Amino acid sequence: MSIAKTYNPKEAEDKWYSYWMENGFFRSTPDEREPYTIVMPPPNVTGVLHMGHMLNNTIQDVLIRRARMQGKNACWVPGTDHASIATEAKVVNMLKEQGIDKKSLTREDFLKYAWEWKEKYGGIILKQLEKLGASCDWERTKFTMDPDLSEAVIDTFIRFYKEGYIYRGVRMVNWDPLGKTALSDEEVIRKEVNQKLYYIRYKIKDSDEYIIIATTRPETIMADAAVCINPNDERFTHLKGKTVIVPLVNREIPIIQDEYVDMEFGTGCLKVTPAHDLNDYELGQKHNLEIIDLLNDDGTLNENAQILVGEDRFIARKKIAKLLEEVDQIEKIEDYKSQVGFSERTDAAIEPKLSMQWWCKMEELSKPALQYVEDGTIKLIPEKFFASYKHWMENVKDWCISRQLWWGQRIPAWYNEKNEWVVAKTEEDARKEFEALGKTVSTIRQEDDVLDTWFSSGLWPMSVFDGVRNPENEDFKYYYPTNDLVTAPEILFFWIARMIIMGHDYTQLPPFKNVYLTGIVRDKLGRKMSKSLGNSPDPIELMEQYGTDGVRVGMLLSSPAGNDLMFDVSYCEQGRNFANKIWNAFRLVKGWETTDAPATEAQKTAAVWFENRFNQAVAEIDEHFANYRLSDALMATYKLIWDDFCAWYLELIKPAYQMPIEAEALETVKALFQKVLALAHPFMPFLTEELYHDEIFGERTAKDCIIVTEYPKVIPFDEQITKEFATVQQIISEVRNVRNSKGMSPKTALPLAINASDIDFKKHQESIIKLANISELTFVQEKVTGALSFLAGKSECYVQLAAENIDVEAEKERITKEIEYLKGFLISVDKKLSNERFVQNAKPEIIDNERNKKADAETKITILQESLSNLGL
RNA sequence: GGAGAAUUAGCUCAGCUGGUUCAGAGCAUCUGCCUUACAAGCAGAGGGUCACUGGUUCGAAUCCAGUAUUCUCCACCA
């Protein structure tokens, strides 16, 4: 036999992936079948895929493959996301490394580089997904900046604008001085940072007195508009109505009063800098203060600062502190920890900044989106995420949707020479708009504003089917709403909430029914896998090493929904071993010669049992899938194959060495083998397809592939068969144990007697028991003396050994121990039963159960005690 | 500061509405085996006061309260 001893994944993977593609098995077009749709969360084109993507897409592939096999019209739409700021930051960096400054480029030139980047990395990503075995409909591959998707984005902007959800206004925004763009609240990551708290003396005008103010940001003092105290603060009553002098620039500012100020914190005095702090801004509005913006877009000081103009804000901070020290206006400096916002993408410290931006009103829009999840129209899996979803939805603020970038969909606003503006899809429309408003326009222009990436990905489930531009098209009507969305909990607000909001606004429907939230892939130490830590294995390398199927199994084995996954390569090893196990089971069957004979009694019994066990497992697996417990579904499959199929069924029907197998038994095992493979296919697509096509299973037509073969259906099974067989398994196990404990070789045949007075297994199972290398099997009506005994169910079994092999003392001890345990057990049962309150309160079936336990234990004790006394003979 | 979750074997996790699936699984460990599909394997074995303290109950890993530890999300205190 020339078949390899271990499974070699490489060959099978390349072969079958292209075969599936060539035969269009991933393709989906609307037909009369029930659709099953998943849209892939589009990975960013910022780089290559990491383990989190791999897990995510493996889950999606398992779901889609299973649905496909179940006869549904399975459609998995792949794609990538342009990831506006993230990609632009990467491209800018890449250019910088080549010595090119973004500023030196025109918009068009820059976009050319960006598109090149997208082609390169988008391509790598799609290749990685192929390697993973992802069975998506590649002909539907979309990119969030494809012309049709971009048009959908622009249409939506205009729609929302007309509906009154989008407006333009000057607000405090999160400004990223590195990306030089505004950010939404969600794109700001707060981190605790060690800072200094500077206590600065402000001189009170016409007085020798100073007032001391604590701040972490001395570089902003030149923009101070007031000093604020709490009106209830008695320490400062005498200062009411006075003014103070801002140090260094000697500007006079008022002392105002507001209860906002916390008397306990710092010195109880607050400097108010409306241009550079959200709270100060609000205070400034309230008290009508001057707004002095002293920062440029890139975080350097502008001429409003008067001093240190052009200096970076962090350098300026130190220098200001020094200057203040020189004029003796620093009281003290303390170490201080506080939360500072950082840009999610560029990691620059965020600057609160007043800026004209586009905003999306969220309050109205978010209501139906909350409703869907609240009433179960959309199910979050696991449910625990509902609480934070609800909280976010109920407290959502307006969404800043404009970004000062080039890479993205341009905001369709047009400006005339007077800076008046209209919203319109094209320049032509814009001119008409202006005309209609009676405004002159000679030159018309757009600004460098693009839309937040999440504005476009929010449309994803609709736009991939062209449902925004053309809601009546066949694809959209057929595939939408989609079924399952598989993604990370981190983007619950970024993405999921916005898809629901936008989907509802367009269609009055939820965009999907179930949201499966996967965990974060962490390393063994519990750290999130990241490039910077270098603790993330390269997924491609892993697949090379363990096989794609092995890696898929490895990832799924340890990832219950919503829980983080402590990833370790040992899981992949387990996956590889499992693939190998199936491979070798196949080798065994393939190696059998046949003889034209009917199956033996034992083979028939084993087959009946396994088929029943199989059906039982299918039901369990189905249940697990219904609850999105994929790791449990996989484990059930794993155990069915490894324990039941290989360790029991195949061992039981196996002919003696180099003997042929009965043809009938072989046919049965082949049929069952194929069913088992079908069950495993969603998890291990390549191995199962490879084996499915082996000649031992007969000729296959070109389209007869496991990927589209029928997935095992849930059919009734007989629990009694499983139970009876369990007794047989126990007997075989015990006999092995006897050999093991006596140091005998498995080849030693032993005689076995079973006390059939209380037989709870069928006689036809005799044939199975004999397979445990039993020299003589007898059924007796009474005790057998001078033998090792054990209980299987309620039947006592005896293995007759030569006297020297029986250690009477050890046997006595063993049996005594068992009796003691049973007696203790009996006492606890008796205690319950003699407790009046128990008998009164417990449900009747519970009481019955206790009575049965009691009877059982008593019987066993009797049997064991007899054995004990027999030992003495 | 607020909210949520978790804590069960060495590791990763199951244990639904309290009572034989109640103390489980996989991996790892240990002991035998290179037995003729597979040492990436086979046959066995050991291993847990169910974080802690109370409460409810005839009965608690399971329900309640508190404590401790850990994690996640949200939040503008200078």
Side-chain angles (χ1 to χ4, degrees), chain A residues 570-583:
Chain A
S570 68
Y571 288 116
C572 292
E573 209 173 308
Q574 194 182 349
R576 178 201 61 182
N577 293 355
F578 183 41
N580 199 48
K581 184 71 188 176
I582 299 175
W583 176 260

Side-chain angles (χ1 to χ4, degrees), chain A residues 154-170:
Chain A
I154 300 305
D155 287 352
T156 304
F157 183 96
I158 294 169
R159 174 193 173 97
F160 275 22
Y161 179 74
K162 286 188 178 150
E163 285 174 345
Y165 292 126
I166 286 180
Y167 64 91
R168 188 169 180 247
V170 175

Side-chain angles (χ1 to χ4, degrees), chain A residues 116-127:
Chain A
E116 270 169 28
W117 173 282
K118 179 261 165 186
E119 290 307 326
K120 182 178 169 194
Y121 285 99
I124 294 175
I125 286 166
L126 301 181
K127 278 275 168 280

Side-chain angles (χ1 to χ4, degrees), chain A residues 736-750:
Chain A
R736 282 176 186 158
N737 240 337
V738 168
R739 283 201 195 90
N740 218 2
S741 62
K742 299 293 168 202
M744 294 174 175
S745 150
K747 288 175 191 167
T748 315
L750 294 173

Side-chain angles (χ1 to χ4, degrees), chain A residues 249-313:
Chain A
V249 293
N250 300 321
R251 195 157 41 77
E252 185 178 339
I253 55 171
I255 295 176
I256 60 167
Q257 302 171 50
D258 199 290
E259 296 198 345
Y260 165 77
V261 177
D262 181 352
M263 296 189 281
E264 308 295 312
F265 189 87
T267 60
C269 290
L270 174 70
K271 78 185 195 70
V272 186
T273 320
H276 298 291
D277 184 279
L278 180 59
N279 297 302
D280 290 11
Y281 175 70
E282 278 160 12
L283 266 179
Q285 294 289 95
K286 195 168 158 190
H287 296 271
N288 221 352
L289 299 176
E290 189 186 358
I291 294 167
I292 305 163
D293 184 345
L294 55 63
L295 284 178
N296 291 315
D297 288 353
D298 61 358
T300 56
L301 302 196
N302 63 24
E303 51 279 7
N304 288 337
Q306 298 178 51
I307 52 172
L308 300 174
V309 174
E311 202 69 81
D312 179 79
R313 54 192 166 141

Side-chain angles (χ1 to χ4, degrees), chain A residues 512-694:
Chain A
F512 29 71
K513 300 180 186 88
N514 301 294
V515 179
Y516 179 113
L517 296 157
T518 63
I520 297 166
V521 181
R522 297 175 179 279
D523 68 7
K524 266 239 135 168
L525 301 169
R527 299 173 307 178
K528 192 171 166 177
M529 283 192 174
S530 73
K531 245 192 218 158
S532 50
L533 274 174
N535 58 349
S536 173
D538 175 6
I540 299 293
E541 257 171 51
L542 272 185
M543 287 189 274
E544 297 283 338
Q545 194 178 349
Y546 296 101
T548 297
D549 290 336
V551 174
R552 288 168 63 114
V553 167
M555 284 191 300
L556 286 176
L557 271 178
S558 56
S559 65
N563 280 3
D564 289 357
L565 171 141
M566 302 294 171
F567 185 80
D568 188 86
V569 288
S570 68
Y571 288 116
C572 292
E573 209 173 308
Q574 194 182 349
R576 178 201 61 182
N577 293 355
F578 183 41
N580 199 48
K581 184 71 188 176
I582 299 175
W583 176 260
N584 275 293
F586 171 79
R587 273 180 77 210
L588 173 68
V589 173
K590 188 175 166 70
W592 283 333
E593 305 285 325
T594 62
T595 172
D596 187 18
T600 64
E601 186 72 24
Q603 285 167 337
K604 280 187 202 158
T605 309
V608 166
W609 164 76
F610 179 73
E611 187 155 18
N612 186 69
R613 174 72 199 97
F614 178 85
N615 291 331
Q616 190 176 10
V618 170
E620 282 166 24
I621 291 164
D622 192 73
E623 175 86 16
H624 289 316
F625 270 107
N627 294 317
Y628 291 85
R629 301 182 64 141
L630 268 61
S631 57
D632 289 340
L634 172 55
M635 187 43 76
T637 309
Y638 180 94
K639 285 198 261 193
L640 175 76
I641 294 177
W642 201 305
D643 300 341
D644 299 318
F645 186 69
C646 294
W648 284 102
Y649 177 55
L650 290 184
E651 288 296 335
L652 288 175
I653 63 159
K654 190 172 168 177
Y657 178 47
Q658 289 191 337
M659 293 295 282
I661 189 168
E662 291 72 6
E664 193 193 350
L666 184 63
E667 286 318 303
T668 311
V669 72
K670 282 184 193 167
L672 291 169
F673 208 141
Q674 289 176 77
K675 287 169 86 170
V676 158
L677 289 177
L679 205 55
H681 179 262
F683 301 110
M684 314 175 85
F686 294 110
L687 168 70
T688 51
E689 192 72 88
E690 173 75 11
L691 296 182
Y692 186 79
H693 288 272
D694 192 273

